[in-house]
């Protein structure tokens, strides 16, 4: 290849360049007549002028400078070289690098977009898209957080609704219990008032035996009223969750023997005998002595109350696996099977009557159940009409440290 080599561009590349320019989407070529009518345009020019390649009717126009400016000049050749704005005043306008050539009554317009500006705009758009994507991801996260918060709110609302419903139930139950207590208190208090009025009005005229009988009736009715109020307060505290246990590790058998001695006085009044059966010398249990006294007092009191005079009551205590089981066995009247199911519910009484006209509050067994369950135990009953009843409850045993040490 010599220094004077000349390359014939027109011959070798002219048609190819024309085809490429015709299909270009950035460099626009258009041919117009003296009236400004578009005669021919490539793809880019059709895009800038918003024209269809088939009919070449532009919807955009040269706004600045206007197309008439090119026709007003009498020069031939290059009549404009600068920036021209194409648009329709309402929509997007394009500012293009433009050259206009005139050949007689025809104009050739060459337009091209500023590549540097396009790249800069593309970069801005890319950055903007990235920011939009980041915002979308953030919105998705926020949406998930809101959905989780909404679910939690729904759960809290459901809990609140359940609590309100439970509160309404407890309120109805409380009103029912208050009504029952008021009803059960009316008779013994009324009897006590009547006997006290008789005593006050006729004290000197009444024989000593009558006065003692009236006082005995007043004492019995007041004791029952006091027991009913005490039991009602206990069950109310338990139902409201105000139930603290003072748990202490202690010998359970010694505790049971002490309670039997306390109840033996009541049993002897009916010529009954309480017998303790045990399978160990010592059984260590963690329990609240005050609360378990209520349990044994209620169960032994019922056994005494519903057993016949001159009968025997057995308290059977033994270990089974990790529990200690206590059974109070009487040989009384027994309870009909259909009535056993509701026996541990508050204010539930049976068709069985005490053998010495004793009174019952209907709350004792409900208190027993709550106290035993608070200690981690269970309660149960077995009964047969005409044979007697067996009430039982379990308590967790303390680990046997000495045996564990020997095994190690």
């Amino acid at each position: 290849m010599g220094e004077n080599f000349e390359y014939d561009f027109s011959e070798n590349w002219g048609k190819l360049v024309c085809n490429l320019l015709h299909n270009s989407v950035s460099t626009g070529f258009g041919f117009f007549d003296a009236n400004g009518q578009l005669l021919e345009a490539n793809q880019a020019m059709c895009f800038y002028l918003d024209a269809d390649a088939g009919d070449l009717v532009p919807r955009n126009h040269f706004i600045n400078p206007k197309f008439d400016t090119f026709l007003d000049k009498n020069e031939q050749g290059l009549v404009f070289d600068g920036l021209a704005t194409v648009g329709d005043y309402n929509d997007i306008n394009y500012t293009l690098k433009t050259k206009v050539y005139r050949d007689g009554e025809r104009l050739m317009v060459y337009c091209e977009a500023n590549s540097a500006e396009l790249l800069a705009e593309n970069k801005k758009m890319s950055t903007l898209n990235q920011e939009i994507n980041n915002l979308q991801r953030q919105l998705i996260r926020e949406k998930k957080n809101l959905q989780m918060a909404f679910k939690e709110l729904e759960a809290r609302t459901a809990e609140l609704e359940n609590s309100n419903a439970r509160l309404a139930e407890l309120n109805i139950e409380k009103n029912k219990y208050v009504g029952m207590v008021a009803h059960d208190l009316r008779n013994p208090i009324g009897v006590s008032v009547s006997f006290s009025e008789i005593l006050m009005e006729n004290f000197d005229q009444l024989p000593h035996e009558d006065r003692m009988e009236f006082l005995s009736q007043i004492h019995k009715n007041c004791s029952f009223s006091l027991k009913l109020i005490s039991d009602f307060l206990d069950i109310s505290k338990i139902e409201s969750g105000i139930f603290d246990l003072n748990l202490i590790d202690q010998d359970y058998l010694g505790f049971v023997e002490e309670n039997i001695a306390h109840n033996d006085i009541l049993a002897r009044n009916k010529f009954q005998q309480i017998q303790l059966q045990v399978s160990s010398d010592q059984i260590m249990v963690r329990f609240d002595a005050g609360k378990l006294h209520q349990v044994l007092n209620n169960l032994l009191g019922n056994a005494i109350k519903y057993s016949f005079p001159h009968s025997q009551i057995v308290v059977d205590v033994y270990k089974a696996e990790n529990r200690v089981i206590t059974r109070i066995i009487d040989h009384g009247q027994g309870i009909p099977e259909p009535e056993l199911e509701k026996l541990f519910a508050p204010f539930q009484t049976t068709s069985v009557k005490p053998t010495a006209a004793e009174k019952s509050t209907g709350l004792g067994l409900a208190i027993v159940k709550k106290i035993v369950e608070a200690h981690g135990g269970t309660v149960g009953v077995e009964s047969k009409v005409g044979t007697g009843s067996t009430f039982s409850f379990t308590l967790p045993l303390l680990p046997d440290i000495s045996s564990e040490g020997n095994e190690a």
Side-chain angles (χ1 to χ4, degrees), residues 253-254 256-257 260 274-278 313-317 326:
L253 290 181
V256 173
E257 289 175 353
I260 289 175
I274 303 175
Q275 180 183 355
L276 176 62
Q277 292 181 178
V278 296
I313 298 166
V314 177
V315 179
D316 184 23
V317 182
T326 305

Side-chain angles (χ1 to χ4, degrees), residues 187-226:
N187 184 57
I189 291 176
V191 169
S192 298
V193 168
S194 298
F195 279 129
S196 63
E197 287 175 350
I198 294 173
L199 281 171
M200 287 187 295
E201 292 172 3
N202 305 286
F203 187 83
D204 293 331
Q205 289 78 27
L206 288 171
H208 176 73
E209 293 79 7
D210 289 348
R211 285 184 295 198
M212 292 304 297
E213 176 62 24
F214 289 168
L215 288 171
S216 174
Q217 290 295 327
I218 291 171
H219 178 267
K220 184 167 67 173
N221 283 285
C222 287
S223 296
F224 170 78
S225 300
L226 185 61

Side-chain angles (χ1 to χ4, degrees), residues 131 135 154 186 210 301 351 375 386 395:
E131 291 176 358
L135 285 173
E154 284 183 329
R186 181 182 299 171
D210 289 348
S351 58
H375 280 78
L395 295 171

